[in-house]
Amino acid sequence: MTTVRIPAGWPATEAQARAVQDELRGRVVLDEPGPPPGTGRVTGVDVAYDDERDVVVAAAVVLDAATLDVVAESTAVGRVPFPYVPGLLAFRELPAVLAALDALPCEPGLVVCDGYGLAHPRRFGLAAHLGVLTGLPTIGVAKNPFTFAYEEPDAPRGSSSPLLAGEEEVGRALRTQQDVKPVFVSVGHRVSLDNACAHTLRLAPRFRLPETTRRADALCRKALKATEYVV
DNA sequence: GCGACAG
DNA sequence: ATCTTGTCGC
């Protein structure tokens, strides 16, 4: 388990955080399709907290995209760098996620985040933010629709409907299992929305959530329980 | 002004 | 995110 170092100048207030979003959001790349599903590597990242002890643990789990076997994993611990504010989740989660990605022994390939990318009040959710900071292709897969509207997709696995901010399609509600609540997919960086949905579907052959987030979630929780001291 | 609100 | 037992189902 490596230690989180909060980057110099990391925002401390909501106003600073919004200024950073405004500065970085123009750097998102939207005209690349991204890696083809089922090839190379796919990495899930997630974070667990103990607010009582001011501890955060992130995990990164690298899967073989064809077999979904785990090929590498890493964790990082540190202090919680920012409070939970809807719309500013990246400032709470990313320092630990960046440290975990740095600790990996191989390239992560496509990174799947727990949350949103462009489907965000300011069009710059944590998946987009992580993509811009690392240059990696990223997507966001969220469990809730946040503030967005959508019509219920058809019952079969693979059905989807647009996630709407007014008239604009900012993501998609994607049914990964028949008759199960959809997940909410949006583009982060260097991946098209169609491709993001195709990846998500391949990563969820058996359960609602992609294997990437299931693996990363399990690992960061386990690592948090095992954590005793954080200096 | 109040409520809602990814994790 | 996290607090939490048993319970229904594959």
Side-chain angles (χ1 to χ4, degrees):
Chain A
M1 188 138 62
T2 66
T3 302
V4 173
R5 290 192 184 171
I6 298 174
W10 196 254
T13 67
E14 296 186 20
Q16 290 167 7
R18 281 185 219 101
V20 168
Q21 291 181 329
D22 287 338
E23 178 193 331
L24 295 182
R25 68 180 158 188
R27 300 195 207 165
V28 174
V29 172
L30 298 175
D31 58 3
E32 292 183 26
T39 64
R41 292 189 280 258
V42 185
T43 296
V45 292
D46 196 17
V47 175
Y49 300 95
D50 182 343
D51 281 305
E52 293 285 293
R53 296 192 300 158
D54 191 33
V55 173
V56 55
V57 176
V61 180
V62 185
L63 305 185
D64 180 297
T67 62
L68 305 188
D69 290 333
V70 177
V71 298
E73 54 185 39
S74 63
T75 55
V77 258
R79 320 297 290 273
V80 180
F82 203 87
Y84 173 66
V85 180
L88 300 178
L89 187 58
F91 299 93
R92 180 170 170 84
E93 306 220 327
L94 289 192
V97 168
L98 290 167
L101 287 173
D102 278 344
L104 285 174
C106 62
E107 288 300 309
L110 174 76
V111 179
V112 181
C113 297
D114 203 349
Y116 280 117
L118 293 192
H120 177 273
R122 306 167 68 83
R123 301 296 179 272
F124 198 64
L126 79 163
H129 199 143
L130 179 64
V132 166
L133 293 185
T134 61
L136 297 168
T138 60
I139 67 173
V141 179
K143 299 182 280 297
N144 298 295
F146 199 11
T147 62
F148 301 102
Y150 69 101
E151 304 213 334
E152 205 59 38
D154 292 337
R157 166 180 152 82
S159 304
S160 68
S161 58
L163 243 201
L164 297 172
E167 301 287 75
E168 182 188 0
E169 183 185 38
V170 293
R172 225 163 263 168
L174 175 67
R175 190 93 65 190
T176 55
Q177 297 296 320
Q178 178 139 33
D179 294 315
V180 170
K181 175 180 176 173
V183 297
F184 303 90
V185 179
S186 61
V187 162
H189 184 58
R190 300 179 50 201
V191 185
S192 70
L193 182 55
D194 281 345
N195 200 20
C197 289
H199 272 104
T200 302
L201 209 50
R202 282 197 73 119
L203 289 167
R206 172 103 172 88
F207 300 105
R208 176 166 91 114
L209 297 179
E211 287 303 307
T212 38
T213 62
R214 299 184 71 245
R215 291 333 248 263
D217 181 74
L219 180 56
C220 67
R221 288 196 209 207
K222 186 181 76 172
L224 178 62
K225 279 188 184 177
T227 299
E228 297 191 355
Y229 299 101
V230 176
V231 179

